[in-house]
Amino acid sequence: ELLSYENPLDGLDELSRLSRSVTQAYRSLGGSFKRLRDFTDQLETTGKLANVGSWQIELNEEDVEQCPFHWCSQSQEVFGIQAEETTTLANLLQLFTAKSRPLVLSSFQAAATSGFPIDLDLPITTPEQEERWIRLVGDVQHLNGTPISTSGAVQDITQHSTMLRSALSEARHQRSLLSFAGAGLWTWTPSSDAFELSKEWRRRFKLPELSSLSEFMDFVHPDDRLALS
């Protein structure tokens, strides 16, 4: 009777092919991880240049203040703080001014209950008592129609906000001077004929609110219309 046996070398080719496949997959995965690290580094660099950081909060409408709030190092820099990667919304609220906290809390409550996005421009006070303005924006993620998290970005807009407040203050000052001098302002957009006259002149000449230059011309003396046109 002849005995049959399996040659142990028969499976070496298959084993070799499997080994090569695993090696190739490992190298491919390693390249993907490197590209991911490079992309993450680029995002961090861009965030530092623009004073922008990312954040995410896990939503729970029953107790929004205790929801875990995750933020990257750049987000912490925007808030002027160094902390753990995960904190709570209650701790985050302490960085906002007393007047701003109710608005921040209600915004996150609306996100947890109704899925409303976050879009806030508010002042904060850093632990070093530095006054800053930040922009906080975020979109809500859902699972089976239920809001489960919100992720977004935070940006330091202190410089922009300071310039804007300064411009508004200067505009109010100029308007006050014009009002005191009995003068007024007007603007006209030729492409649309849109016309706007300041309240001071409307009050002084008892004119209604005008929307076009043609409407204004109706109040001009006929002898003066040719000169204005």
Side-chain angles (χ1 to χ4, degrees), residues 52-214:
V52 176
S54 61
W55 58 268
Q56 183 182 48
I57 185 171
E58 302 170 28
L59 297 176
N60 178 5
E61 61 177 296
E62 296 182 359
D63 192 358
V64 176
E65 291 191 52
Q66 295 307 314
C67 289
F69 187 90
H70 313 283
W71 48 356
C72 68
S73 58
Q74 184 59 34
S75 293
Q76 295 178 24
E77 288 189 24
V78 170
F79 281 97
I81 191 172
Q82 290 184 347
E84 298 293 333
E85 291 185 1
T86 301
T87 183
T88 63
L89 181 60
N91 291 333
L92 183 71
L93 288 173
Q94 300 307 311
L95 297 174
F96 290 88
T97 61
K99 291 183 178 180
S100 300
R101 289 171 196 163
L103 179 57
V104 178
L105 180 58
S106 63
S107 295
F108 279 97
Q109 286 174 333
T113 57
S114 304
F116 289 151
I118 304 293
D119 192 346
L120 300 169
D121 289 0
L122 294 171
I124 64 169
T125 303
T126 70
E128 301 298 328
Q129 300 304 306
E130 179 186 353
E131 302 293 332
R132 294 182 184 179
W133 275 80
I134 60 117
R135 179 168 177 78
L136 191 71
V137 295
D139 291 323
V140 177
Q141 291 77 48
H142 297 78
L143 179 63
N144 297 327
T146 301
I148 59 170
S149 66
T150 300
S151 58
V154 59
Q155 182 179 24
D156 185 345
I157 58 170
T158 304
Q159 184 177 4
H160 170 75
S161 180
T162 300
M163 294 174 60
L164 180 60
R165 292 199 304 273
S166 177
L168 291 175
S169 177
E170 180 65 21
R172 286 193 294 267
H173 178 66
Q174 294 294 335
R175 188 174 290 274
S176 297
L177 291 177
L178 290 172
S179 178
F180 180 77
L185 296 173
W186 59 269
T187 58
W188 176 51
T189 306
S191 59
S192 62
D193 196 37
F195 183 83
E196 184 179 358
L197 196 63
S198 65
K199 293 181 180 179
E200 291 78 14
W201 269 20
R202 294 207 314 269
R203 188 182 303 113
R204 181 178 182 182
F205 296 107
K206 299 180 180 180
L207 295 173
E209 188 168 350
L210 305 172
S211 60
S212 66
L213 180 62
S214 57

